[in-house]
Amino acid sequence: MPIVIPDRRRVQAFVNRLQTAGKHWQGEVFGWPAEYTPESRKKPPGSKMCFTPADFWIGESGIWFYALMWEHGKNKEPVEFLDDRGIIKEH
């Protein structure tokens, strides 16, 4: 079964809609499991942060995984994390 990696711009457009709605979402998108958790005013346990940032992830660890976290607040650009070590790129 072939694995299809979605275009990051399409993923980001999807995430932007979730971020605008501000509601928790979990499911499958672009053929991968994914989850979005909105920002919360609750302080994370054991953290110096004064709120829990919104976050989104898609993929499977070890294959392809992409995550966004709004560490600086919901109105700032998110911090990105991409793990694509499991993908062999064609030359």
Side-chain angles (χ1 to χ4, degrees), residues 5-73:
I5 306 301
D7 181 82
R8 253 194 299 183
R9 290 173 297 203
R10 290 186 66 209
V11 173
Q12 288 166 339
F14 177 76
V15 175
N16 288 341
R17 290 191 298 274
L18 294 173
Q19 178 76 338
T20 298
K23 295 184 186 329
H24 180 264
W25 178 87
Q26 183 175 8
E28 187 176 297
V29 65
F30 306 112
W32 294 92
E35 184 172 9
Y36 170 79
T37 304
E39 183 177 298
S40 168
R41 294 187 180 265
K42 289 182 180 179
K43 181 181 182 211
S47 174
K48 292 183 181 180
M49 295 186 86
C50 57
F51 68 98
T52 301
D55 68 82
F56 172 83
W57 62 263
I58 182 171
E60 293 283 345
S61 184
I63 301 172
W64 175 81
F65 184 84
Y66 179 62
L68 298 166
M69 183 176 283
W70 286 260
E71 293 179 0
H72 306 290

